[in-house]
Amino acid sequence: IYESCEFYLQNFFNLDMANNFMMALMVDDVDSWWTHLESLRLSDTYSGVVLKPPQDYPWGFREVHLIDPAGVCWHIATPIKPRA
């Protein structure tokens, strides 16, 4: 289901869009991503970077939230597996 993806970046700035832009990245194991992101110490290197640890949400995903240096909010997520 998440075999491949791509997105394109361009040199275009629109304040309204920049203030409200989000990206979703679906991964197999959000907790492993969290461990990796935490090890990078991004907020020590890049001003404005904010990380929120994994949390289960009622819409069915376990997510890490990352605000990148451009202010984009990344939702790095894994679907929550139903309990048997």
Side-chain angles (χ1 to χ4, degrees):
I1 186 169
Y2 310 118
E3 293 178 17
S4 68
C5 66
E6 58 185 58
F7 64 94
Y8 299 92
L9 301 175
Q10 63 182 9
N11 187 13
F12 172 79
F13 180 75
N14 176 293
L15 182 60
D16 291 333
M17 190 168 129
N19 286 334
N20 294 290
F21 196 73
M22 288 188 243
M23 294 287 291
L25 175 64
M26 302 303 293
V27 299
D28 290 329
D29 182 357
V30 76
D31 293 291
S32 292
W33 272 79
W34 169 251
T35 300
H36 176 68
L37 289 169
E38 211 175 22
S39 76
L40 296 174
R41 302 176 54 100
L42 296 170
S43 59
D44 293 343
T45 306
Y46 302 102
S47 177
V49 169
V50 178
L51 280 169
K52 183 177 177 188
Q55 182 175 336
D56 292 349
Y57 289 92
W59 47 86
F61 291 98
R62 181 167 178 78
E63 298 184 10
V64 165
H65 296 154
L66 164 68
I67 307 290
D68 73 16
V72 174
C73 179
W74 288 80
H75 294 250
I76 303 169
T78 301
I80 297 171
K81 294 181 172 89
R83 295 180 183 175

